[in-house]
Amino acid sequence: MEIVEVGARDGLQNEATPIDTAHKLALIARLMAAGARRLEVASFVQPRLVPQMADAEAVVAGLPADASATYVGLVLNKRGLLRALETRAGGRRGVDEIGCVAVASDGFGTNNQGMGWQASVETVKDLHRLAHAEGLAAQVTVSVCWGDPFDGPVAPDRVVEICRRLAEAGPREIALADTIGVAVPARVTELFHRVAEAVPGIPLRAHFHDTRNTGIANAWAAYEAGASVLDASLGGLGGCPFAPRATGNIATEDLVYLLDRSGVGHGLDLAALIDSAGWMGEVMAKPLPGRVARAGGFPA
């Protein structure tokens, strides 16, 4: 099982207390020392709207030169993609992959990206075409797959249709995201099975926020339904600036504990993650919401 660490991007973007570039780079270094090899490191979005990501270029410039790592940058539009591509100019490594976002509903899409779901799908397809032309890998996350804070429930048929359309762009993978944390395992299983049938051959990733304490159960349901990649954020950090009351992602250490005790390989070191969650809590001057970092691993 591959785990994508999103703490340095999705984990921090909603935090009101500014986290400086040096601490972001220290966080990334700690995560890599714990075994993380695919990491969301920055978001190339409007700094006025998401000030925590205003130093995206500086973060990317300071990343470790580790050939075994894959650095992912989030882009929402062509301007963001051009910023991501600029990090690779002049022979620099820059980001290795872009993550795009399509929305499964008009309400969230209008508030988050200034467009409805159909326009967001076409935007993602254009971004993939441009990225591929520049030799840059691209993947896509479909947000609010199980529910929208403005429009309410999202029809599974629409999510399936969105994934079919996105598959035409040849993404590295498609992620189904529970952006506001309303999903439950039964609905997760159903949707992952349906999307897998609709886009055969494209890997599926799962992204769960733990707003209603179902995130870890949903991650296991996605794994059993065929998801080959799971997103997680150190300490359970996270949230969305445009999703009222949405809390953090599932905690990386909580997910690793689950996989460890279930005999599922993943490549991350639980003790190192617990230590880093404690360190990050000190940096942010508050306890992080992850459970395992507070309780510890399985008793010796």
Side-chain angles (χ1 to χ4, degrees):
M1 169 58 63
E2 181 182 13
I3 296 176
V4 175
E5 174 58 54
V6 301
R9 195 282 300 176
D10 198 6
L12 298 180
Q13 68 176 7
N14 206 41
E15 291 295 324
T17 302
I19 305 298
D20 62 33
T21 303
H23 278 106
K24 290 177 184 176
L25 289 170
L27 169 61
I28 291 167
R30 280 177 165 269
L31 291 166
M32 292 175 67
R37 285 298 173 267
R38 191 170 169 211
L39 306 94
E40 279 195 353
V41 296
S43 179
F44 298 96
V45 294
Q46 171 56 256
R48 179 177 56 82
L49 298 177
V50 190
Q52 196 71 262
M53 294 290 109
D55 60 348
E57 284 84 356
V59 169
V60 174
L63 292 170
D66 187 334
S68 69
T70 297
Y71 299 131
V72 183
L74 180 76
V75 305
L76 298 182
N77 50 39
K78 185 176 179 180
R79 182 171 183 176
L81 174 58
L82 293 175
R83 288 176 61 193
L85 289 171
E86 183 61 26
T87 68
R88 296 159 58 89
R92 293 173 293 168
R93 173 176 175 176
V95 294
D96 303 304
E97 176 183 321
I98 59 163
C100 304
V101 178
V103 292
S105 64
D106 289 331
F108 186 76
T110 300
N111 282 272
N112 187 45
Q113 292 171 239
M115 64 184 74
W117 72 266
Q118 297 198 58
S120 79
V121 170
E122 294 307 311
T123 296
V124 168
K125 292 171 73 172
D126 287 342
L127 291 173
H128 273 58
R129 176 178 54 80
L130 294 169
H132 291 158
E134 296 293 332
L136 185 60
Q139 40 92 346
V140 58
T141 296
V142 183
S143 62
V144 295
C145 283
W146 288 272
D148 176 293
F150 308 101
D151 293 349
V154 175
D157 286 350
R158 179 185 292 171
V159 178
V160 172
E161 176 60 25
I162 287 171
C163 292
R164 282 199 186 100
R165 296 189 192 184
L166 292 171
E168 297 170 358
R172 168 178 177 169
E173 70 195 4
I174 295 175
L176 305 184
D178 183 19
T179 311
I180 61 172
V182 293
V184 295
R187 302 286 78 78
V188 169
T189 299
E190 174 191 9
L191 190 57
F192 268 90
H193 280 315
R194 290 194 58 185
V195 171
E197 292 175 359
V199 293
I202 295 182
L204 299 182
R205 194 174 87 244
H207 181 102
F208 294 110
H209 286 250
D210 205 22
T211 312
R212 291 167 179 82
N213 201 33
T214 57
I216 286 290
N218 290 336
W220 185 254
Y223 164 71
E224 290 197 311
S228 57
V229 188
L230 297 171
D231 286 356
S233 174
L234 183 75
L237 285 169
C240 177
F242 309 102
R245 295 183 297 280
T247 58
N249 299 271
I250 56 174
T252 310
E253 62 275 14
D254 293 5
L255 177 61
V256 166
Y257 178 84
L258 169 70
L259 296 177
D260 278 349
R261 300 301 299 170
S262 304
V264 179
H266 49 75
L268 276 72
D269 183 306
L270 180 58
L273 291 170
I274 290 173
D275 181 69
S276 292
W279 169 83
M280 195 63 195
E282 293 176 0
V283 170
M284 303 184 74
K286 66 177 183 179
L288 304 188
R291 274 76 163 178
V292 170
R294 286 178 283 171
F298 194 84

